Amino acid sequence: MRDILKANVSRRAVLGAGVAGASLLAMPAVLRAQDKSLKVGVYGGYFKDSFDKNIFADFTKETGIAVESVAEPTGEAWLVQLEQAARAGQAPADVSMMSQVAMLKGQSTELWSPLDMAKIPNGSNLIDHFVNKYPDGRVAGIGAVAWYITLVTNTNVYPEAPTSWAALWDPANADKLGLLALVSNSFLLEVTAKTHFGGTNALDTEEGQVKAFEKLAEVKPNVRLWYRDEAQFEQSLKSGEIPMGQYYHDVTGLAAKDGQPVRSTFPKEGGIMDSGCWALSRASQKTEEAHTFINYMCQPQIQAILSRKVGTAPTVKRDLLDLSAEEFAAVSSDIEPIIPRYDLYTTKADWLNQKWTEMIAG
């Protein structure tokens, strides 16, 4: 995990790096010996390297299915490529790790082959909200990994940890905050709804969304930086120049272990949990191998390896894991999380972006 920090970029940044030029065959010696194979798309850079090293090799040993790992870009670029390829009957990857918004957009074109849960018995280990379904109940994807955005502080400036997201609105924190710059990656509307309006259901209506925007606008005097460059905020947090904000729990914890004066706090309203799903392209001819792979990934011991080696939060139930309390706290929390309203970012994206620019970060 320390390698993540030493790379001086967060996982999300690393994910976008892309290493398409790197070898696509993670285990060539193994591949030559395999009759069965599966192409798996994972975010490039650290993620792909970690999966190659810690997951795919053991999967091949256990199942006899060779994995060709494919470095995929973040955002929706990979979704576009998969869509175009599927129309031509091709699958750049059989199974891909997809963001939640990309999952929903892929559903609209039936890009994802429905998964047969009878072939994924380990799916019963999953926390319920990690099963992504089509509106008619067919399973479109299975939670692969998760990560948290939490309330972070510089311990020199804040000797006592804050306990609530309400700290963002505290006048005592004027000009001290660093917050993510986009409505669709900060999830601050959801934070506002959970903190001030009883939960994210308050965002069900446009009236509720406007109220959340108006309340969130009250934090503007406290914000010094709306950041797109995660490394910029991380450095400012470490130095105390911007001593409070929202950031990724895993890399903040790694910085603290490295002796930096920073802490990550799960507020009483919960950290923001974001995640990626395994999804099977409709163009894939590797349905059986894909189900075997997804079932393998749903094992508690595999999720534990991911937490220890990759720094991701598990998608299976806490009581099934052998993670120590310290290991679990390094990547997750028992506090009920804030789940982003991904549906809004597919159905009202333009309107939300416009309001965000007008009222918040413009």
Short mmCIF file of all heavy atoms in Angstrom, two decimals, residues 39-89:
data_model
loop_
_atom_site.label_atom_id
_atom_site.label_comp_id
_atom_site.label_asym_id
_atom_site.label_seq_id
_atom_site.Cartn_x
_atom_site.Cartn_y
_atom_site.Cartn_z
N LYS A 39 -10.11 -12.08 -21.08
CA LYS A 39 -9.55 -10.73 -21.08
C LYS A 39 -10.29 -9.89 -20.04
O LYS A 39 -11.52 -9.79 -20.09
CB LYS A 39 -9.70 -10.09 -22.47
CG LYS A 39 -8.77 -10.71 -23.52
CD LYS A 39 -8.81 -9.95 -24.83
CE LYS A 39 -10.11 -10.15 -25.56
NZ LYS A 39 -10.11 -9.54 -26.90
N VAL A 40 -9.53 -9.32 -19.11
CA VAL A 40 -10.12 -8.56 -18.01
C VAL A 40 -9.60 -7.13 -18.07
O VAL A 40 -8.38 -6.90 -18.01
CB VAL A 40 -9.77 -9.19 -16.65
CG1 VAL A 40 -10.38 -8.36 -15.52
CG2 VAL A 40 -10.28 -10.63 -16.58
N GLY A 41 -10.51 -6.18 -18.16
CA GLY A 41 -10.14 -4.77 -18.17
C GLY A 41 -10.10 -4.20 -16.77
O GLY A 41 -11.08 -4.30 -16.02
N VAL A 42 -8.95 -3.65 -16.40
CA VAL A 42 -8.81 -2.95 -15.12
C VAL A 42 -8.10 -1.63 -15.38
O VAL A 42 -7.41 -1.47 -16.38
CB VAL A 42 -8.01 -3.78 -14.08
CG1 VAL A 42 -8.79 -5.01 -13.66
CG2 VAL A 42 -6.66 -4.18 -14.63
N TYR A 43 -8.30 -0.69 -14.46
CA TYR A 43 -7.68 0.62 -14.62
C TYR A 43 -6.17 0.48 -14.71
O TYR A 43 -5.56 -0.30 -13.97
CB TYR A 43 -8.06 1.53 -13.48
CG TYR A 43 -9.55 1.70 -13.32
CD1 TYR A 43 -10.18 1.38 -12.13
CD2 TYR A 43 -10.33 2.17 -14.37
CE1 TYR A 43 -11.56 1.53 -11.99
CE2 TYR A 43 -11.70 2.32 -14.23
CZ TYR A 43 -12.31 2.00 -13.04
OH TYR A 43 -13.66 2.14 -12.91
N GLY A 44 -5.57 1.25 -15.62
CA GLY A 44 -4.15 1.12 -15.88
C GLY A 44 -3.28 1.61 -14.74
O GLY A 44 -3.74 2.23 -13.78
N GLY A 45 -2.02 1.36 -14.82
CA GLY A 45 -1.07 1.82 -13.82
C GLY A 45 -1.00 0.90 -12.62
O GLY A 45 -0.94 -0.32 -12.75
N TYR A 46 -1.02 1.52 -11.42
CA TYR A 46 -0.84 0.75 -10.19
C TYR A 46 -1.88 -0.36 -10.05
O TYR A 46 -1.56 -1.48 -9.64
CB TYR A 46 -0.93 1.70 -8.99
CG TYR A 46 -0.87 0.98 -7.67
CD1 TYR A 46 0.35 0.65 -7.10
CD2 TYR A 46 -2.03 0.61 -7.00
CE1 TYR A 46 0.42 -0.02 -5.90
CE2 TYR A 46 -1.98 -0.06 -5.80
CZ TYR A 46 -0.75 -0.38 -5.25
OH TYR A 46 -0.69 -1.04 -4.06
N PHE A 47 -3.13 -0.04 -10.41
CA PHE A 47 -4.19 -1.02 -10.26
C PHE A 47 -3.88 -2.28 -11.08
O PHE A 47 -3.93 -3.39 -10.58
CB PHE A 47 -5.51 -0.41 -10.73
CG PHE A 47 -6.58 -0.41 -9.68
CD1 PHE A 47 -6.29 -0.01 -8.39
CD2 PHE A 47 -7.87 -0.79 -9.98
CE1 PHE A 47 -7.26 0.01 -7.41
CE2 PHE A 47 -8.86 -0.77 -9.02
CZ PHE A 47 -8.55 -0.37 -7.73
N LYS A 48 -3.59 -2.08 -12.35
CA LYS A 48 -3.34 -3.22 -13.22
C LYS A 48 -2.14 -4.01 -12.72
O LYS A 48 -2.19 -5.25 -12.65
CB LYS A 48 -3.11 -2.76 -14.66
CG LYS A 48 -2.80 -3.91 -15.62
CD LYS A 48 -2.57 -3.38 -17.03
CE LYS A 48 -2.19 -4.52 -17.97
NZ LYS A 48 -0.92 -5.16 -17.59
N ASP A 49 -1.09 -3.32 -12.36
CA ASP A 49 0.10 -4.00 -11.87
C ASP A 49 -0.22 -4.83 -10.62
O ASP A 49 0.25 -5.96 -10.46
CB ASP A 49 1.21 -2.98 -11.55
CG ASP A 49 1.73 -2.28 -12.79
OD1 ASP A 49 1.47 -2.79 -13.90
OD2 ASP A 49 2.36 -1.22 -12.65
N SER A 50 -1.02 -4.25 -9.73
CA SER A 50 -1.37 -4.96 -8.49
C SER A 50 -2.24 -6.18 -8.76
O SER A 50 -2.06 -7.23 -8.15
CB SER A 50 -2.10 -4.01 -7.53
OG SER A 50 -1.24 -2.98 -7.11
N PHE A 51 -3.17 -6.03 -9.67
CA PHE A 51 -4.03 -7.17 -10.01
C PHE A 51 -3.21 -8.26 -10.68
O PHE A 51 -3.41 -9.46 -10.41
CB PHE A 51 -5.19 -6.73 -10.91
CG PHE A 51 -6.41 -6.29 -10.15
CD1 PHE A 51 -6.46 -5.04 -9.55
CD2 PHE A 51 -7.50 -7.13 -10.00
CE1 PHE A 51 -7.57 -4.64 -8.83
CE2 PHE A 51 -8.62 -6.74 -9.29
CZ PHE A 51 -8.66 -5.48 -8.70
N ASP A 52 -2.33 -7.88 -11.58
CA ASP A 52 -1.47 -8.87 -12.23
C ASP A 52 -0.69 -9.66 -11.19
O ASP A 52 -0.59 -10.89 -11.26
CB ASP A 52 -0.49 -8.19 -13.19
CG ASP A 52 -1.14 -7.70 -14.47
OD1 ASP A 52 -2.26 -8.15 -14.76
OD2 ASP A 52 -0.53 -6.88 -15.16
N LYS A 53 -0.13 -8.95 -10.23
CA LYS A 53 0.77 -9.56 -9.26
C LYS A 53 0.04 -10.34 -8.18
O LYS A 53 0.46 -11.46 -7.82
CB LYS A 53 1.63 -8.47 -8.61
CG LYS A 53 2.58 -8.98 -7.55
CD LYS A 53 3.39 -7.82 -6.96
CE LYS A 53 4.33 -8.31 -5.87
NZ LYS A 53 5.09 -7.17 -5.27
N ASN A 54 -1.06 -9.77 -7.69
CA ASN A 54 -1.67 -10.32 -6.48
C ASN A 54 -2.94 -11.13 -6.70
O ASN A 54 -3.38 -11.86 -5.81
CB ASN A 54 -2.00 -9.17 -5.51
CG ASN A 54 -0.77 -8.40 -5.08
OD1 ASN A 54 0.16 -8.98 -4.53
ND2 ASN A 54 -0.76 -7.10 -5.35
N ILE A 55 -3.56 -10.99 -7.86
CA ILE A 55 -4.86 -11.63 -8.08
C ILE A 55 -4.85 -12.60 -9.26
O ILE A 55 -5.20 -13.77 -9.14
CB ILE A 55 -5.95 -10.56 -8.30
CG1 ILE A 55 -6.01 -9.61 -7.09
CG2 ILE A 55 -7.29 -11.22 -8.57
CD1 ILE A 55 -6.43 -10.26 -5.80
N PHE A 56 -4.49 -12.09 -10.43
CA PHE A 56 -4.68 -12.88 -11.65
C PHE A 56 -3.84 -14.16 -11.67
O PHE A 56 -4.30 -15.20 -12.16
CB PHE A 56 -4.38 -12.02 -12.88
CG PHE A 56 -5.33 -10.88 -13.08
CD1 PHE A 56 -4.94 -9.72 -13.72
CD2 PHE A 56 -6.65 -10.95 -12.62
CE1 PHE A 56 -5.81 -8.67 -13.91
CE2 PHE A 56 -7.54 -9.91 -12.80
CZ PHE A 56 -7.11 -8.76 -13.44
N ALA A 57 -2.63 -14.07 -11.16
CA ALA A 57 -1.77 -15.26 -11.20
C ALA A 57 -2.38 -16.40 -10.37
O ALA A 57 -2.43 -17.55 -10.83
CB ALA A 57 -0.38 -14.91 -10.67
N ASP A 58 -2.86 -16.08 -9.19
CA ASP A 58 -3.47 -17.12 -8.34
C ASP A 58 -4.79 -17.61 -8.93
O ASP A 58 -5.13 -18.79 -8.80
CB ASP A 58 -3.70 -16.57 -6.93
CG ASP A 58 -2.40 -16.46 -6.15
OD1 ASP A 58 -1.40 -17.07 -6.56
OD2 ASP A 58 -2.38 -15.74 -5.12
N PHE A 59 -5.53 -16.71 -9.57
CA PHE A 59 -6.78 -17.12 -10.22
C PHE A 59 -6.50 -18.17 -11.29
O PHE A 59 -7.20 -19.19 -11.40
CB PHE A 59 -7.48 -15.91 -10.84
CG PHE A 59 -8.63 -16.26 -11.75
CD1 PHE A 59 -9.84 -16.70 -11.23
CD2 PHE A 59 -8.49 -16.18 -13.13
CE1 PHE A 59 -10.89 -17.04 -12.07
CE2 PHE A 59 -9.53 -16.51 -13.98
CZ PHE A 59 -10.75 -16.94 -13.45
N THR A 60 -5.47 -17.94 -12.07
CA THR A 60 -5.10 -18.89 -13.12
C THR A 60 -4.68 -20.23 -12.53
O THR A 60 -5.06 -21.30 -13.03
CB THR A 60 -3.98 -18.31 -14.00
OG1 THR A 60 -4.44 -17.12 -14.63
CG2 THR A 60 -3.55 -19.30 -15.07
N LYS A 61 -3.90 -20.18 -11.46
CA LYS A 61 -3.47 -21.42 -10.82
C LYS A 61 -4.66 -22.23 -10.32
O LYS A 61 -4.70 -23.45 -10.42
CB LYS A 61 -2.55 -21.10 -9.63
CG LYS A 61 -1.18 -20.58 -10.02
CD LYS A 61 -0.36 -20.26 -8.78
CE LYS A 61 0.99 -19.66 -9.15
NZ LYS A 61 1.76 -19.26 -7.95
N GLU A 62 -5.67 -21.52 -9.80
CA GLU A 62 -6.82 -22.22 -9.19
C GLU A 62 -7.82 -22.71 -10.22
O GLU A 62 -8.43 -23.77 -10.05
CB GLU A 62 -7.52 -21.30 -8.19
CG GLU A 62 -8.69 -21.96 -7.47
CD GLU A 62 -9.17 -21.16 -6.29
OE1 GLU A 62 -8.33 -20.61 -5.56
OE2 GLU A 62 -10.41 -21.10 -6.10
N THR A 63 -7.99 -21.98 -11.31
CA THR A 63 -9.07 -22.30 -12.25
C THR A 63 -8.57 -22.81 -13.59
O THR A 63 -9.37 -23.37 -14.36
CB THR A 63 -9.93 -21.05 -12.51
OG1 THR A 63 -9.12 -20.07 -13.19
CG2 THR A 63 -10.45 -20.48 -11.20
N GLY A 64 -7.31 -22.59 -13.91
CA GLY A 64 -6.80 -22.98 -15.22
C GLY A 64 -7.17 -22.01 -16.32
O GLY A 64 -6.93 -22.29 -17.50
N ILE A 65 -7.76 -20.88 -15.94
CA ILE A 65 -8.14 -19.86 -16.93
C ILE A 65 -7.08 -18.77 -16.94
O ILE A 65 -6.85 -18.09 -15.93
CB ILE A 65 -9.51 -19.23 -16.58
CG1 ILE A 65 -10.59 -20.32 -16.56
CG2 ILE A 65 -9.86 -18.13 -17.58
CD1 ILE A 65 -11.94 -19.83 -16.05
N ALA A 66 -6.41 -18.62 -18.07
CA ALA A 66 -5.38 -17.58 -18.18
C ALA A 66 -6.03 -16.21 -18.34
O ALA A 66 -7.03 -16.07 -19.04
CB ALA A 66 -4.49 -17.85 -19.39
N VAL A 67 -5.47 -15.23 -17.68
CA VAL A 67 -5.99 -13.86 -17.75
C VAL A 67 -5.07 -12.99 -18.59
O VAL A 67 -3.86 -12.95 -18.37
CB VAL A 67 -6.14 -13.26 -16.35
CG1 VAL A 67 -6.48 -11.76 -16.44
CG2 VAL A 67 -7.21 -13.98 -15.55
N GLU A 68 -5.68 -12.35 -19.57
CA GLU A 68 -5.00 -11.30 -20.31
C GLU A 68 -5.53 -9.98 -19.76
O GLU A 68 -6.66 -9.60 -20.04
CB GLU A 68 -5.30 -11.42 -21.80
CG GLU A 68 -4.67 -10.33 -22.66
CD GLU A 68 -5.05 -10.48 -24.12
OE1 GLU A 68 -5.37 -11.61 -24.55
OE2 GLU A 68 -5.02 -9.45 -24.83
N SER A 69 -4.73 -9.29 -18.95
CA SER A 69 -5.22 -8.05 -18.35
C SER A 69 -5.06 -6.90 -19.33
O SER A 69 -4.03 -6.76 -20.00
CB SER A 69 -4.48 -7.76 -17.04
OG SER A 69 -3.12 -7.56 -17.25
N VAL A 70 -6.09 -6.08 -19.43
CA VAL A 70 -6.12 -4.98 -20.38
C VAL A 70 -6.22 -3.67 -19.60
O VAL A 70 -7.10 -3.51 -18.75
CB VAL A 70 -7.34 -5.11 -21.31
CG1 VAL A 70 -7.40 -3.94 -22.29
CG2 VAL A 70 -7.30 -6.44 -22.06
N ALA A 71 -5.30 -2.75 -19.86
CA ALA A 71 -5.32 -1.45 -19.19
C ALA A 71 -6.41 -0.59 -19.80
O ALA A 71 -6.38 -0.26 -20.98
CB ALA A 71 -3.97 -0.77 -19.33
N GLU A 72 -7.39 -0.25 -18.99
CA GLU A 72 -8.49 0.57 -19.49
C GLU A 72 -8.38 1.97 -18.90
O GLU A 72 -7.89 2.16 -17.79
CB GLU A 72 -9.84 -0.05 -19.11
CG GLU A 72 -10.06 -0.16 -17.61
CD GLU A 72 -11.45 -0.65 -17.25
OE1 GLU A 72 -11.74 -1.83 -17.51
OE2 GLU A 72 -12.22 0.13 -16.69
N PRO A 73 -8.85 2.99 -19.64
CA PRO A 73 -8.84 4.36 -19.11
C PRO A 73 -9.98 4.56 -18.13
O PRO A 73 -10.97 3.80 -18.13
CB PRO A 73 -9.03 5.21 -20.36
CG PRO A 73 -9.82 4.32 -21.28
CD PRO A 73 -9.34 2.92 -21.02
N THR A 74 -9.87 5.59 -17.28
CA THR A 74 -10.98 5.92 -16.40
C THR A 74 -12.02 6.73 -17.15
O THR A 74 -11.90 6.97 -18.35
CB THR A 74 -10.48 6.76 -15.21
OG1 THR A 74 -9.77 7.87 -15.73
CG2 THR A 74 -9.57 5.94 -14.33
N GLY A 75 -13.04 7.15 -16.42
CA GLY A 75 -14.10 7.91 -17.04
C GLY A 75 -14.88 7.04 -18.00
O GLY A 75 -14.95 5.83 -17.85
N GLU A 76 -15.45 7.69 -19.00
CA GLU A 76 -16.34 6.96 -19.88
C GLU A 76 -15.71 6.60 -21.22
O GLU A 76 -16.37 6.08 -22.11
CB GLU A 76 -17.62 7.77 -20.09
CG GLU A 76 -18.39 7.95 -18.79
CD GLU A 76 -19.63 8.80 -18.94
OE1 GLU A 76 -20.06 8.99 -20.09
OE2 GLU A 76 -20.13 9.28 -17.92
N ALA A 77 -14.41 6.87 -21.35
CA ALA A 77 -13.73 6.54 -22.61
C ALA A 77 -13.78 5.04 -22.88
O ALA A 77 -14.00 4.61 -24.02
CB ALA A 77 -12.28 7.02 -22.56
N TRP A 78 -13.61 4.25 -21.84
CA TRP A 78 -13.64 2.80 -22.03
C TRP A 78 -15.05 2.33 -22.38
O TRP A 78 -15.23 1.43 -23.19
CB TRP A 78 -13.16 2.11 -20.76
CG TRP A 78 -12.97 0.62 -20.87
CD1 TRP A 78 -13.59 -0.35 -20.13
CD2 TRP A 78 -12.10 -0.10 -21.77
NE1 TRP A 78 -13.16 -1.59 -20.50
CE2 TRP A 78 -12.26 -1.47 -21.50
CE3 TRP A 78 -11.22 0.33 -22.77
CZ2 TRP A 78 -11.55 -2.45 -22.21
CZ3 TRP A 78 -10.52 -0.65 -23.47
CH2 TRP A 78 -10.69 -2.01 -23.19
N LEU A 79 -16.04 2.97 -21.80
CA LEU A 79 -17.43 2.63 -22.13
C LEU A 79 -17.68 2.85 -23.61
O LEU A 79 -18.29 2.01 -24.29
CB LEU A 79 -18.39 3.49 -21.29
CG LEU A 79 -19.87 3.31 -21.60
CD1 LEU A 79 -20.39 1.96 -21.12
CD2 LEU A 79 -20.69 4.44 -20.96
N VAL A 80 -17.20 3.97 -24.13
CA VAL A 80 -17.38 4.28 -25.56
C VAL A 80 -16.70 3.22 -26.41
O VAL A 80 -17.27 2.74 -27.41
CB VAL A 80 -16.84 5.69 -25.88
CG1 VAL A 80 -16.84 5.95 -27.38
CG2 VAL A 80 -17.64 6.75 -25.15
N GLN A 81 -15.49 2.85 -26.03
CA GLN A 81 -14.77 1.84 -26.80
C GLN A 81 -15.50 0.49 -26.77
O GLN A 81 -15.61 -0.20 -27.79
CB GLN A 81 -13.35 1.67 -26.25
CG GLN A 81 -12.46 2.87 -26.47
CD GLN A 81 -11.06 2.66 -25.90
OE1 GLN A 81 -10.45 1.60 -26.10
NE2 GLN A 81 -10.54 3.64 -25.19
N LEU A 82 -16.01 0.13 -25.61
CA LEU A 82 -16.73 -1.14 -25.51
C LEU A 82 -18.00 -1.12 -26.34
O LEU A 82 -18.36 -2.12 -26.99
CB LEU A 82 -17.07 -1.42 -24.04
CG LEU A 82 -15.90 -1.78 -23.11
CD1 LEU A 82 -16.40 -1.93 -21.67
CD2 LEU A 82 -15.21 -3.07 -23.56
N GLU A 83 -18.69 0.03 -26.33
CA GLU A 83 -19.93 0.16 -27.10
C GLU A 83 -19.65 -0.01 -28.60
O GLU A 83 -20.33 -0.76 -29.31
CB GLU A 83 -20.57 1.53 -26.85
CG GLU A 83 -21.16 1.71 -25.48
CD GLU A 83 -22.60 1.22 -25.40
OE1 GLU A 83 -23.02 0.46 -26.29
OE2 GLU A 83 -23.26 1.59 -24.42
N GLN A 84 -18.63 0.71 -29.07
CA GLN A 84 -18.31 0.66 -30.49
C GLN A 84 -17.86 -0.74 -30.90
O GLN A 84 -18.26 -1.24 -31.95
CB GLN A 84 -17.21 1.69 -30.81
CG GLN A 84 -17.67 3.14 -30.65
CD GLN A 84 -16.54 4.14 -30.82
OE1 GLN A 84 -15.36 3.79 -30.70
NE2 GLN A 84 -16.88 5.39 -31.07
N ALA A 85 -17.07 -1.36 -30.06
CA ALA A 85 -16.60 -2.71 -30.38
C ALA A 85 -17.73 -3.72 -30.36
O ALA A 85 -17.80 -4.62 -31.21
CB ALA A 85 -15.51 -3.12 -29.38
N ALA A 86 -18.65 -3.55 -29.41
CA ALA A 86 -19.77 -4.51 -29.31
C ALA A 86 -20.64 -4.44 -30.56
O ALA A 86 -21.16 -5.47 -31.01
CB ALA A 86 -20.59 -4.21 -28.06
N ARG A 87 -20.79 -3.24 -31.12
CA ARG A 87 -21.59 -3.13 -32.34
C ARG A 87 -20.95 -3.91 -33.48
O ARG A 87 -21.62 -4.39 -34.38
CB ARG A 87 -21.73 -1.65 -32.75
CG ARG A 87 -22.56 -0.83 -31.78
CD ARG A 87 -22.90 0.55 -32.37
NE ARG A 87 -23.34 1.46 -31.32
CZ ARG A 87 -22.58 2.42 -30.79
NH1 ARG A 87 -21.36 2.61 -31.26
NH2 ARG A 87 -23.04 3.19 -29.84
N ALA A 88 -19.63 -4.04 -33.41
CA ALA A 88 -18.90 -4.81 -34.43
C ALA A 88 -18.73 -6.27 -34.01
O ALA A 88 -18.03 -7.03 -34.69
CB ALA A 88 -17.54 -4.17 -34.66
N GLY A 89 -19.35 -6.63 -32.88
CA GLY A 89 -19.26 -8.01 -32.43
C GLY A 89 -17.93 -8.36 -31.80
O GLY A 89 -17.56 -9.54 -31.73
#
